[in-house]
Amino acid sequence: AQKVTQAQTEISVVEKEDVTLDCVYETRDTTYYLFWYKQPPSGELVFLIRRNSFDEQNEISGRYSWNFQKSTSSFNFTITASQVVDSAVYFCALRSPSGGSNYKLTFGKGTLLTVNP
Amino acid sequence: NAGVTQTPKFQVLKTGQSMTLQCAQDMNHEYMSWYRQDPGMGLRLIHYSVGAGITDQGEVPNGYNVSRSTTEDFPLRLLSAAPSQTSVYFCASSYSSLTGELFFGEGSRLTVL
């Protein structure tokens, strides 16, 4: 079985603050893929990043950065200098062979980030 | 630059009515799937397909049927709608079952009265 836990249900910050969204996953597989998606108020799901289990190198894309640590089964997402447009629900997700359904994408419950001006 | 297209975006049904949510993708993806999103439940897999003619059940398949006659299309059918099927439905596709990120449609909001 596989599981994704996003312990933070809601986070509220003031613009320009840094914020980290936590994601902890469970899988018995050695090969798996982790993802982050953004769901803005308009409702669509936007792909942000994919990381495979053999690549623990942190990634930075503009104000976004991701920290993948296999030792703690975590894949955290940091937004630097947050902006109002970052307000959204963010989902962490996992794809692994033991997840069944031909590698279904298992989502966490999501974290609602509100960035106040 | 269509990607994944879902129709309709909004629908209101009465209990017992049937309807089909349409999904089409133009990226030649083999893997397609349907998810439903409910408050506090996240996204849950309803049905999926790994290619034309091949479909299978996900976590919450009861009350839904699917078919995949072409690579492009993956419709979701509600045969007899129930209030418990009130939800937002997302169709998604990817180029690989394990490694690929899912590309999602814009979602279809369904209300069953």
Side-chain angles (χ1 to χ4, degrees), chain A residues 24-59:
Chain A
V24 174
Y25 62 92
E26 296 177 28
T27 179
R28 64 172 184 260
D29 297 307
T30 55
T31 300
Y32 51 88
Y33 287 78
L34 295 161
F35 304 83
W36 276 94
Y37 284 85
K38 174 182 179 180
Q39 187 174 41
S42 52
E44 72 272 24
L45 284 154
V46 179
F47 164 75
L48 295 177
I49 191 171
R50 175 186 62 195
R51 173 68 64 206
N52 74 60
S53 53
F54 298 105
D55 183 3
E56 289 195 69
Q57 192 170 14
N58 291 333
E59 179 148 346

PDB file of all heavy atoms in Angstrom, chain A residues 24-59:
ATOM      1  N   VAL A  24       4.884  13.819   3.540  1.00  0.00           N
ATOM      2  CA  VAL A  24       5.502  12.566   3.962  1.00  0.00           C
ATOM      3  C   VAL A  24       4.792  11.431   3.238  1.00  0.00           C
ATOM      4  O   VAL A  24       3.571  11.427   3.128  1.00  0.00           O
ATOM      5  CB  VAL A  24       5.384  12.384   5.489  1.00  0.00           C
ATOM      6  CG1 VAL A  24       5.901  11.007   5.894  1.00  0.00           C
ATOM      7  CG2 VAL A  24       6.156  13.471   6.212  1.00  0.00           C
ATOM      8  N   TYR A  25       5.567  10.492   2.733  1.00  0.00           N
ATOM      9  CA  TYR A  25       4.974   9.418   1.948  1.00  0.00           C
ATOM     10  C   TYR A  25       5.376   8.052   2.496  1.00  0.00           C
ATOM     11  O   TYR A  25       6.357   7.928   3.237  1.00  0.00           O
ATOM     12  CB  TYR A  25       5.397   9.543   0.480  1.00  0.00           C
ATOM     13  CG  TYR A  25       6.882   9.422   0.268  1.00  0.00           C
ATOM     14  CD1 TYR A  25       7.462   8.183  -0.017  1.00  0.00           C
ATOM     15  CD2 TYR A  25       7.710  10.532   0.375  1.00  0.00           C
ATOM     16  CE1 TYR A  25       8.821   8.060  -0.188  1.00  0.00           C
ATOM     17  CE2 TYR A  25       9.073  10.419   0.208  1.00  0.00           C
ATOM     18  CZ  TYR A  25       9.626   9.183  -0.078  1.00  0.00           C
ATOM     19  OH  TYR A  25      10.982   9.065  -0.230  1.00  0.00           O
ATOM     20  N   GLU A  26       4.601   7.060   2.133  1.00  0.00           N
ATOM     21  CA  GLU A  26       4.880   5.673   2.503  1.00  0.00           C
ATOM     22  C   GLU A  26       4.760   4.796   1.271  1.00  0.00           C
ATOM     23  O   GLU A  26       3.761   4.860   0.550  1.00  0.00           O
ATOM     24  CB  GLU A  26       3.885   5.177   3.560  1.00  0.00           C
ATOM     25  CG  GLU A  26       3.939   5.878   4.890  1.00  0.00           C
ATOM     26  CD  GLU A  26       2.862   5.371   5.833  1.00  0.00           C
ATOM     27  OE1 GLU A  26       2.450   4.195   5.696  1.00  0.00           O
ATOM     28  OE2 GLU A  26       2.414   6.148   6.700  1.00  0.00           O
ATOM     29  N   THR A  27       5.763   3.982   1.044  1.00  0.00           N
ATOM     30  CA  THR A  27       5.718   2.974  -0.006  1.00  0.00           C
ATOM     31  C   THR A  27       6.756   1.922   0.293  1.00  0.00           C
ATOM     32  O   THR A  27       7.778   2.225   0.894  1.00  0.00           O
ATOM     33  CB  THR A  27       5.967   3.589  -1.397  1.00  0.00           C
ATOM     34  OG1 THR A  27       5.929   2.541  -2.383  1.00  0.00           O
ATOM     35  CG2 THR A  27       7.304   4.307  -1.480  1.00  0.00           C
ATOM     36  N   ARG A  28       6.502   0.704  -0.130  1.00  0.00           N
ATOM     37  CA  ARG A  28       7.481  -0.351   0.072  1.00  0.00           C
ATOM     38  C   ARG A  28       8.391  -0.514  -1.143  1.00  0.00           C
ATOM     39  O   ARG A  28       9.317  -1.317  -1.133  1.00  0.00           O
ATOM     40  CB  ARG A  28       6.787  -1.672   0.384  1.00  0.00           C
ATOM     41  CG  ARG A  28       5.932  -2.223  -0.736  1.00  0.00           C
ATOM     42  CD  ARG A  28       5.455  -3.621  -0.394  1.00  0.00           C
ATOM     43  NE  ARG A  28       4.693  -4.233  -1.484  1.00  0.00           N
ATOM     44  CZ  ARG A  28       3.371  -4.271  -1.509  1.00  0.00           C
ATOM     45  NH1 ARG A  28       2.666  -3.756  -0.535  1.00  0.00           N
ATOM     46  NH2 ARG A  28       2.745  -4.847  -2.522  1.00  0.00           N
ATOM     47  N   ASP A  29       8.115   0.268  -2.188  1.00  0.00           N
ATOM     48  CA  ASP A  29       8.892   0.132  -3.411  1.00  0.00           C
ATOM     49  C   ASP A  29      10.193   0.931  -3.335  1.00  0.00           C
ATOM     50  O   ASP A  29      10.291   1.922  -2.611  1.00  0.00           O
ATOM     51  CB  ASP A  29       8.072   0.619  -4.610  1.00  0.00           C
ATOM     52  CG  ASP A  29       6.829  -0.218  -4.804  1.00  0.00           C
ATOM     53  OD1 ASP A  29       6.950  -1.446  -4.885  1.00  0.00           O
ATOM     54  OD2 ASP A  29       5.732   0.382  -4.869  1.00  0.00           O
ATOM     55  N   THR A  30      11.186   0.492  -4.117  1.00  0.00           N
ATOM     56  CA  THR A  30      12.433   1.253  -4.213  1.00  0.00           C
ATOM     57  C   THR A  30      12.401   2.211  -5.398  1.00  0.00           C
ATOM     58  O   THR A  30      13.126   3.196  -5.407  1.00  0.00           O
ATOM     59  CB  THR A  30      13.632   0.297  -4.372  1.00  0.00           C
ATOM     60  OG1 THR A  30      13.400  -0.553  -5.500  1.00  0.00           O
ATOM     61  CG2 THR A  30      13.807  -0.550  -3.128  1.00  0.00           C
ATOM     62  N   THR A  31      11.562   1.919  -6.368  1.00  0.00           N
ATOM     63  CA  THR A  31      11.383   2.815  -7.509  1.00  0.00           C
ATOM     64  C   THR A  31      10.006   3.444  -7.413  1.00  0.00           C
ATOM     65  O   THR A  31       9.007   2.739  -7.395  1.00  0.00           O
ATOM     66  CB  THR A  31      11.512   2.062  -8.841  1.00  0.00           C
ATOM     67  OG1 THR A  31      12.803   1.480  -8.937  1.00  0.00           O
ATOM     68  CG2 THR A  31      11.299   3.021 -10.008  1.00  0.00           C
ATOM     69  N   TYR A  32       9.964   4.741  -7.347  1.00  0.00           N
ATOM     70  CA  TYR A  32       8.684   5.441  -7.263  1.00  0.00           C
ATOM     71  C   TYR A  32       8.899   6.885  -7.714  1.00  0.00           C
ATOM     72  O   TYR A  32      10.027   7.338  -7.888  1.00  0.00           O
ATOM     73  CB  TYR A  32       8.096   5.393  -5.851  1.00  0.00           C
ATOM     74  CG  TYR A  32       9.040   5.824  -4.753  1.00  0.00           C
ATOM     75  CD1 TYR A  32       9.135   7.168  -4.368  1.00  0.00           C
ATOM     76  CD2 TYR A  32       9.831   4.898  -4.084  1.00  0.00           C
ATOM     77  CE1 TYR A  32       9.997   7.559  -3.368  1.00  0.00           C
ATOM     78  CE2 TYR A  32      10.700   5.285  -3.085  1.00  0.00           C
ATOM     79  CZ  TYR A  32      10.779   6.612  -2.735  1.00  0.00           C
ATOM     80  OH  TYR A  32      11.643   6.996  -1.727  1.00  0.00           O
ATOM     81  N   TYR A  33       7.793   7.572  -7.908  1.00  0.00           N
ATOM     82  CA  TYR A  33       7.838   8.950  -8.377  1.00  0.00           C
ATOM     83  C   TYR A  33       6.963   9.818  -7.485  1.00  0.00           C
ATOM     84  O   TYR A  33       5.862   9.405  -7.086  1.00  0.00           O
ATOM     85  CB  TYR A  33       7.361   9.038  -9.838  1.00  0.00           C
ATOM     86  CG  TYR A  33       8.372   8.477 -10.800  1.00  0.00           C
ATOM     87  CD1 TYR A  33       8.493   7.102 -10.965  1.00  0.00           C
ATOM     88  CD2 TYR A  33       9.221   9.313 -11.509  1.00  0.00           C
ATOM     89  CE1 TYR A  33       9.442   6.571 -11.824  1.00  0.00           C
ATOM     90  CE2 TYR A  33      10.164   8.796 -12.381  1.00  0.00           C
ATOM     91  CZ  TYR A  33      10.277   7.422 -12.529  1.00  0.00           C
ATOM     92  OH  TYR A  33      11.204   6.914 -13.381  1.00  0.00           O
ATOM     93  N   LEU A  34       7.453  10.990  -7.200  1.00  0.00           N
ATOM     94  CA  LEU A  34       6.739  11.949  -6.380  1.00  0.00           C
ATOM     95  C   LEU A  34       6.409  13.191  -7.203  1.00  0.00           C
ATOM     96  O   LEU A  34       7.178  13.578  -8.076  1.00  0.00           O
ATOM     97  CB  LEU A  34       7.590  12.349  -5.167  1.00  0.00           C
ATOM     98  CG  LEU A  34       7.869  11.209  -4.183  1.00  0.00           C
ATOM     99  CD1 LEU A  34       9.056  11.564  -3.302  1.00  0.00           C
ATOM    100  CD2 LEU A  34       6.640  10.936  -3.339  1.00  0.00           C
ATOM    101  N   PHE A  35       5.279  13.785  -6.896  1.00  0.00           N
ATOM    102  CA  PHE A  35       4.799  14.929  -7.670  1.00  0.00           C
ATOM    103  C   PHE A  35       4.234  15.987  -6.726  1.00  0.00           C
ATOM    104  O   PHE A  35       3.771  15.686  -5.629  1.00  0.00           O
ATOM    105  CB  PHE A  35       3.672  14.495  -8.626  1.00  0.00           C
ATOM    106  CG  PHE A  35       4.028  13.372  -9.564  1.00  0.00           C
ATOM    107  CD1 PHE A  35       3.959  12.056  -9.135  1.00  0.00           C
ATOM    108  CD2 PHE A  35       4.399  13.638 -10.861  1.00  0.00           C
ATOM    109  CE1 PHE A  35       4.275  11.007  -9.991  1.00  0.00           C
ATOM    110  CE2 PHE A  35       4.703  12.596 -11.726  1.00  0.00           C
ATOM    111  CZ  PHE A  35       4.640  11.284 -11.289  1.00  0.00           C
ATOM    112  N   TRP A  36       4.255  17.210  -7.205  1.00  0.00           N
ATOM    113  CA  TRP A  36       3.499  18.283  -6.576  1.00  0.00           C
ATOM    114  C   TRP A  36       2.600  18.920  -7.640  1.00  0.00           C
ATOM    115  O   TRP A  36       3.037  19.148  -8.776  1.00  0.00           O
ATOM    116  CB  TRP A  36       4.408  19.362  -5.994  1.00  0.00           C
ATOM    117  CG  TRP A  36       4.905  19.049  -4.620  1.00  0.00           C
ATOM    118  CD1 TRP A  36       6.076  18.454  -4.279  1.00  0.00           C
ATOM    119  CD2 TRP A  36       4.247  19.338  -3.388  1.00  0.00           C
ATOM    120  NE1 TRP A  36       6.184  18.347  -2.920  1.00  0.00           N
ATOM    121  CE2 TRP A  36       5.069  18.881  -2.341  1.00  0.00           C
ATOM    122  CE3 TRP A  36       3.030  19.952  -3.057  1.00  0.00           C
ATOM    123  CZ2 TRP A  36       4.727  19.015  -0.991  1.00  0.00           C
ATOM    124  CZ3 TRP A  36       2.685  20.088  -1.724  1.00  0.00           C
ATOM    125  CH2 TRP A  36       3.527  19.615  -0.709  1.00  0.00           C
ATOM    126  N   TYR A  37       1.350  19.169  -7.217  1.00  0.00           N
ATOM    127  CA  TYR A  37       0.374  19.851  -8.071  1.00  0.00           C
ATOM    128  C   TYR A  37      -0.168  21.064  -7.320  1.00  0.00           C
ATOM    129  O   TYR A  37      -0.283  21.063  -6.096  1.00  0.00           O
ATOM    130  CB  TYR A  37      -0.803  18.935  -8.423  1.00  0.00           C
ATOM    131  CG  TYR A  37      -0.491  17.904  -9.467  1.00  0.00           C
ATOM    132  CD1 TYR A  37       0.100  16.687  -9.120  1.00  0.00           C
ATOM    133  CD2 TYR A  37      -0.783  18.128 -10.802  1.00  0.00           C
ATOM    134  CE1 TYR A  37       0.381  15.733 -10.086  1.00  0.00           C
ATOM    135  CE2 TYR A  37      -0.509  17.182 -11.775  1.00  0.00           C
ATOM    136  CZ  TYR A  37       0.073  15.988 -11.404  1.00  0.00           C
ATOM    137  OH  TYR A  37       0.350  15.052 -12.365  1.00  0.00           O
ATOM    138  N   LYS A  38      -0.538  22.067  -8.098  1.00  0.00           N
ATOM    139  CA  LYS A  38      -1.156  23.275  -7.554  1.00  0.00           C
ATOM    140  C   LYS A  38      -2.590  23.362  -8.076  1.00  0.00           C
ATOM    141  O   LYS A  38      -2.846  23.138  -9.268  1.00  0.00           O
ATOM    142  CB  LYS A  38      -0.362  24.507  -8.007  1.00  0.00           C
ATOM    143  CG  LYS A  38      -0.987  25.843  -7.635  1.00  0.00           C
ATOM    144  CD  LYS A  38      -0.132  26.995  -8.181  1.00  0.00           C
ATOM    145  CE  LYS A  38      -0.734  28.344  -7.843  1.00  0.00           C
ATOM    146  NZ  LYS A  38       0.107  29.458  -8.373  1.00  0.00           N
ATOM    147  N   GLN A  39      -3.512  23.684  -7.175  1.00  0.00           N
ATOM    148  CA  GLN A  39      -4.902  23.892  -7.576  1.00  0.00           C
ATOM    149  C   GLN A  39      -5.319  25.295  -7.150  1.00  0.00           C
ATOM    150  O   GLN A  39      -5.688  25.524  -6.001  1.00  0.00           O
ATOM    151  CB  GLN A  39      -5.839  22.850  -6.970  1.00  0.00           C
ATOM    152  CG  GLN A  39      -7.262  22.941  -7.513  1.00  0.00           C
ATOM    153  CD  GLN A  39      -8.144  21.806  -7.021  1.00  0.00           C
ATOM    154  OE1 GLN A  39      -8.092  21.411  -5.855  1.00  0.00           O
ATOM    155  NE2 GLN A  39      -8.981  21.276  -7.913  1.00  0.00           N
ATOM    156  N   PRO A  40      -5.254  26.269  -8.045  1.00  0.00           N
ATOM    157  CA  PRO A  40      -5.663  27.645  -7.717  1.00  0.00           C
ATOM    158  C   PRO A  40      -7.174  27.720  -7.549  1.00  0.00           C
ATOM    159  O   PRO A  40      -7.880  26.753  -7.845  1.00  0.00           O
ATOM    160  CB  PRO A  40      -5.182  28.442  -8.932  1.00  0.00           C
ATOM    161  CG  PRO A  40      -5.090  27.444 -10.040  1.00  0.00           C
ATOM    162  CD  PRO A  40      -4.777  26.125  -9.411  1.00  0.00           C
ATOM    163  N   PRO A  41      -7.672  28.857  -7.091  1.00  0.00           N
ATOM    164  CA  PRO A  41      -9.122  29.005  -6.886  1.00  0.00           C
ATOM    165  C   PRO A  41      -9.956  28.699  -8.129  1.00  0.00           C
ATOM    166  O   PRO A  41     -11.121  28.328  -8.014  1.00  0.00           O
ATOM    167  CB  PRO A  41      -9.259  30.465  -6.454  1.00  0.00           C
ATOM    168  CG  PRO A  41      -7.948  30.772  -5.809  1.00  0.00           C
ATOM    169  CD  PRO A  41      -6.921  30.011  -6.592  1.00  0.00           C
ATOM    170  N   SER A  42      -9.389  28.834  -9.297  1.00  0.00           N
ATOM    171  CA  SER A  42     -10.118  28.533 -10.529  1.00  0.00           C
ATOM    172  C   SER A  42     -10.394  27.039 -10.697  1.00  0.00           C
ATOM    173  O   SER A  42     -11.241  26.650 -11.508  1.00  0.00           O
ATOM    174  CB  SER A  42      -9.354  29.069 -11.736  1.00  0.00           C
ATOM    175  OG  SER A  42      -8.018  28.605 -11.691  1.00  0.00           O
ATOM    176  N   GLY A  43      -9.678  26.201  -9.953  1.00  0.00           N
ATOM    177  CA  GLY A  43     -10.030  24.788  -9.887  1.00  0.00           C
ATOM    178  C   GLY A  43      -9.207  23.820 -10.707  1.00  0.00           C
ATOM    179  O   GLY A  43      -9.283  22.611 -10.456  1.00  0.00           O
ATOM    180  N   GLU A  44      -8.422  24.287 -11.651  1.00  0.00           N
ATOM    181  CA  GLU A  44      -7.661  23.325 -12.435  1.00  0.00           C
ATOM    182  C   GLU A  44      -6.470  22.792 -11.633  1.00  0.00           C
ATOM    183  O   GLU A  44      -6.065  23.395 -10.649  1.00  0.00           O
ATOM    184  CB  GLU A  44      -7.165  23.955 -13.747  1.00  0.00           C
ATOM    185  CG  GLU A  44      -6.050  24.975 -13.595  1.00  0.00           C
ATOM    186  CD  GLU A  44      -6.563  26.378 -13.367  1.00  0.00           C
ATOM    187  OE1 GLU A  44      -7.694  26.520 -12.884  1.00  0.00           O
ATOM    188  OE2 GLU A  44      -5.787  27.317 -13.648  1.00  0.00           O
ATOM    189  N   LEU A  45      -5.943  21.681 -12.047  1.00  0.00           N
ATOM    190  CA  LEU A  45      -4.781  21.071 -11.392  1.00  0.00           C
ATOM    191  C   LEU A  45      -3.565  21.270 -12.274  1.00  0.00           C
ATOM    192  O   LEU A  45      -3.524  20.807 -13.413  1.00  0.00           O
ATOM    193  CB  LEU A  45      -5.027  19.594 -11.137  1.00  0.00           C
ATOM    194  CG  LEU A  45      -5.962  19.301  -9.974  1.00  0.00           C
ATOM    195  CD1 LEU A  45      -6.647  17.960 -10.143  1.00  0.00           C
ATOM    196  CD2 LEU A  45      -5.185  19.329  -8.656  1.00  0.00           C
ATOM    197  N   VAL A  46      -2.569  21.930 -11.708  1.00  0.00           N
ATOM    198  CA  VAL A  46      -1.387  22.299 -12.473  1.00  0.00           C
ATOM    199  C   VAL A  46      -0.189  21.521 -11.954  1.00  0.00           C
ATOM    200  O   VAL A  46       0.135  21.578 -10.763  1.00  0.00           O
ATOM    201  CB  VAL A  46      -1.120  23.817 -12.354  1.00  0.00           C
ATOM    202  CG1 VAL A  46       0.137  24.183 -13.141  1.00  0.00           C
ATOM    203  CG2 VAL A  46      -2.320  24.611 -12.831  1.00  0.00           C
ATOM    204  N   PHE A  47       0.468  20.807 -12.845  1.00  0.00           N
ATOM    205  CA  PHE A  47       1.661  20.044 -12.488  1.00  0.00           C
ATOM    206  C   PHE A  47       2.812  20.999 -12.187  1.00  0.00           C
ATOM    207  O   PHE A  47       3.069  21.948 -12.937  1.00  0.00           O
ATOM    208  CB  PHE A  47       2.013  19.115 -13.655  1.00  0.00           C
ATOM    209  CG  PHE A  47       3.399  18.547 -13.601  1.00  0.00           C
ATOM    210  CD1 PHE A  47       3.698  17.535 -12.711  1.00  0.00           C
ATOM    211  CD2 PHE A  47       4.392  19.014 -14.437  1.00  0.00           C
ATOM    212  CE1 PHE A  47       4.967  17.000 -12.651  1.00  0.00           C
ATOM    213  CE2 PHE A  47       5.663  18.489 -14.401  1.00  0.00           C
ATOM    214  CZ  PHE A  47       5.955  17.477 -13.509  1.00  0.00           C
ATOM    215  N   LEU A  48       3.527  20.737 -11.081  1.00  0.00           N
ATOM    216  CA  LEU A  48       4.667  21.582 -10.705  1.00  0.00           C
ATOM    217  C   LEU A  48       5.992  20.859 -10.874  1.00  0.00           C
ATOM    218  O   LEU A  48       6.937  21.409 -11.426  1.00  0.00           O
ATOM    219  CB  LEU A  48       4.525  22.052  -9.254  1.00  0.00           C
ATOM    220  CG  LEU A  48       3.357  22.970  -8.955  1.00  0.00           C
ATOM    221  CD1 LEU A  48       3.313  23.292  -7.462  1.00  0.00           C
ATOM    222  CD2 LEU A  48       3.438  24.248  -9.778  1.00  0.00           C
ATOM    223  N   ILE A  49       6.087  19.633 -10.356  1.00  0.00           N
ATOM    224  CA  ILE A  49       7.361  18.947 -10.382  1.00  0.00           C
ATOM    225  C   ILE A  49       7.166  17.446 -10.258  1.00  0.00           C
ATOM    226  O   ILE A  49       6.194  16.983  -9.664  1.00  0.00           O
ATOM    227  CB  ILE A  49       8.299  19.436  -9.257  1.00  0.00           C
ATOM    228  CG1 ILE A  49       9.724  18.886  -9.467  1.00  0.00           C
ATOM    229  CG2 ILE A  49       7.745  19.019  -7.889  1.00  0.00           C
ATOM    230  CD1 ILE A  49      10.756  19.479  -8.533  1.00  0.00           C
ATOM    231  N   ARG A  50       8.101  16.699 -10.833  1.00  0.00           N
ATOM    232  CA  ARG A  50       8.190  15.260 -10.683  1.00  0.00           C
ATOM    233  C   ARG A  50       9.595  14.925 -10.208  1.00  0.00           C
ATOM    234  O   ARG A  50      10.568  15.506 -10.675  1.00  0.00           O
ATOM    235  CB  ARG A  50       7.942  14.559 -12.022  1.00  0.00           C
ATOM    236  CG  ARG A  50       8.127  13.054 -11.981  1.00  0.00           C
ATOM    237  CD  ARG A  50       8.001  12.455 -13.360  1.00  0.00           C
ATOM    238  NE  ARG A  50       9.033  12.965 -14.253  1.00  0.00           N
ATOM    239  CZ  ARG A  50       8.998  12.843 -15.563  1.00  0.00           C
ATOM    240  NH1 ARG A  50       7.974  12.257 -16.145  1.00  0.00           N
ATOM    241  NH2 ARG A  50       9.961  13.320 -16.298  1.00  0.00           N
ATOM    242  N   ARG A  51       9.694  13.964  -9.287  1.00  0.00           N
ATOM    243  CA  ARG A  51      10.984  13.550  -8.760  1.00  0.00           C
ATOM    244  C   ARG A  51      10.986  12.029  -8.661  1.00  0.00           C
ATOM    245  O   ARG A  51      10.074  11.453  -8.103  1.00  0.00           O
ATOM    246  CB  ARG A  51      11.211  14.177  -7.386  1.00  0.00           C
ATOM    247  CG  ARG A  51      12.426  13.711  -6.652  1.00  0.00           C
ATOM    248  CD  ARG A  51      13.678  14.170  -7.333  1.00  0.00           C
ATOM    249  NE  ARG A  51      13.763  15.630  -7.319  1.00  0.00           N
ATOM    250  CZ  ARG A  51      14.433  16.324  -8.233  1.00  0.00           C
ATOM    251  NH1 ARG A  51      15.036  15.710  -9.224  1.00  0.00           N
ATOM    252  NH2 ARG A  51      14.484  17.632  -8.150  1.00  0.00           N
ATOM    253  N   ASN A  52      12.030  11.374  -9.179  1.00  0.00           N
ATOM    254  CA  ASN A  52      12.084   9.931  -9.015  1.00  0.00           C
ATOM    255  C   ASN A  52      12.885   9.572  -7.769  1.00  0.00           C
ATOM    256  O   ASN A  52      13.673  10.376  -7.253  1.00  0.00           O
ATOM    257  CB  ASN A  52      12.634   9.241 -10.264  1.00  0.00           C
ATOM    258  CG  ASN A  52      14.136   9.426 -10.431  1.00  0.00           C
ATOM    259  OD1 ASN A  52      14.912   9.015  -9.565  1.00  0.00           O
ATOM    260  ND2 ASN A  52      14.535  10.040 -11.518  1.00  0.00           N
ATOM    261  N   SER A  53      12.707   8.361  -7.315  1.00  0.00           N
ATOM    262  CA  SER A  53      13.265   7.935  -6.026  1.00  0.00           C
ATOM    263  C   SER A  53      14.781   7.826  -6.025  1.00  0.00           C
ATOM    264  O   SER A  53      15.394   7.721  -4.957  1.00  0.00           O
ATOM    265  CB  SER A  53      12.661   6.590  -5.620  1.00  0.00           C
ATOM    266  OG  SER A  53      12.818   5.631  -6.659  1.00  0.00           O
ATOM    267  N   PHE A  54      15.406   7.850  -7.185  1.00  0.00           N
ATOM    268  CA  PHE A  54      16.856   7.729  -7.232  1.00  0.00           C
ATOM    269  C   PHE A  54      17.558   9.071  -7.334  1.00  0.00           C
ATOM    270  O   PHE A  54      18.781   9.141  -7.367  1.00  0.00           O
ATOM    271  CB  PHE A  54      17.256   6.846  -8.422  1.00  0.00           C
ATOM    272  CG  PHE A  54      16.728   5.445  -8.305  1.00  0.00           C
ATOM    273  CD1 PHE A  54      15.664   5.019  -9.071  1.00  0.00           C
ATOM    274  CD2 PHE A  54      17.271   4.564  -7.386  1.00  0.00           C
ATOM    275  CE1 PHE A  54      15.157   3.739  -8.948  1.00  0.00           C
ATOM    276  CE2 PHE A  54      16.777   3.278  -7.251  1.00  0.00           C
ATOM    277  CZ  PHE A  54      15.716   2.868  -8.034  1.00  0.00           C
ATOM    278  N   ASP A  55      16.798  10.115  -7.378  1.00  0.00           N
ATOM    279  CA  ASP A  55      17.370  11.440  -7.539  1.00  0.00           C
ATOM    280  C   ASP A  55      17.033  12.286  -6.325  1.00  0.00           C
ATOM    281  O   ASP A  55      15.955  12.872  -6.238  1.00  0.00           O
ATOM    282  CB  ASP A  55      16.817  12.094  -8.813  1.00  0.00           C
ATOM    283  CG  ASP A  55      17.426  13.456  -9.069  1.00  0.00           C
ATOM    284  OD1 ASP A  55      18.320  13.879  -8.287  1.00  0.00           O
ATOM    285  OD2 ASP A  55      17.013  14.103 -10.046  1.00  0.00           O
ATOM    286  N   GLU A  56      17.955  12.366  -5.379  1.00  0.00           N
ATOM    287  CA  GLU A  56      17.699  13.126  -4.161  1.00  0.00           C
ATOM    288  C   GLU A  56      18.206  14.553  -4.236  1.00  0.00           C
ATOM    289  O   GLU A  56      18.205  15.271  -3.247  1.00  0.00           O
ATOM    290  CB  GLU A  56      18.343  12.422  -2.962  1.00  0.00           C
ATOM    291  CG  GLU A  56      17.632  11.135  -2.588  1.00  0.00           C
ATOM    292  CD  GLU A  56      18.043  10.653  -1.204  1.00  0.00           C
ATOM    293  OE1 GLU A  56      17.689  11.301  -0.213  1.00  0.00           O
ATOM    294  OE2 GLU A  56      18.732   9.617  -1.142  1.00  0.00           O
ATOM    295  N   GLN A  57      18.624  14.949  -5.383  1.00  0.00           N
ATOM    296  CA  GLN A  57      19.113  16.319  -5.543  1.00  0.00           C
ATOM    297  C   GLN A  57      17.959  17.296  -5.392  1.00  0.00           C
ATOM    298  O   GLN A  57      16.891  17.119  -5.975  1.00  0.00           O
ATOM    299  CB  GLN A  57      19.745  16.477  -6.923  1.00  0.00           C
ATOM    300  CG  GLN A  57      20.542  17.739  -7.114  1.00  0.00           C
ATOM    301  CD  GLN A  57      21.330  17.704  -8.420  1.00  0.00           C
ATOM    302  OE1 GLN A  57      21.083  16.871  -9.278  1.00  0.00           O
ATOM    303  NE2 GLN A  57      22.274  18.605  -8.562  1.00  0.00           N
ATOM    304  N   ASN A  58      18.159  18.307  -4.601  1.00  0.00           N
ATOM    305  CA  ASN A  58      17.126  19.326  -4.439  1.00  0.00           C
ATOM    306  C   ASN A  58      16.991  20.127  -5.719  1.00  0.00           C
ATOM    307  O   ASN A  58      17.935  20.264  -6.496  1.00  0.00           O
ATOM    308  CB  ASN A  58      17.457  20.243  -3.265  1.00  0.00           C
ATOM    309  CG  ASN A  58      17.335  19.528  -1.942  1.00  0.00           C
ATOM    310  OD1 ASN A  58      16.576  18.576  -1.820  1.00  0.00           O
ATOM    311  ND2 ASN A  58      18.081  19.985  -0.959  1.00  0.00           N
ATOM    312  N   GLU A  59      15.804  20.641  -5.929  1.00  0.00           N
ATOM    313  CA  GLU A  59      15.545  21.383  -7.156  1.00  0.00           C
ATOM    314  C   GLU A  59      15.011  22.761  -6.833  1.00  0.00           C
ATOM    315  O   GLU A  59      14.225  22.930  -5.903  1.00  0.00           O
ATOM    316  CB  GLU A  59      14.555  20.625  -8.033  1.00  0.00           C
ATOM    317  CG  GLU A  59      14.199  21.341  -9.320  1.00  0.00           C
ATOM    318  CD  GLU A  59      13.913  20.402 -10.456  1.00  0.00           C
ATOM    319  OE1 GLU A  59      14.228  19.208 -10.347  1.00  0.00           O
ATOM    320  OE2 GLU A  59      13.345  20.875 -11.446  1.00  0.00           O
TER     321      GLU A  59
END
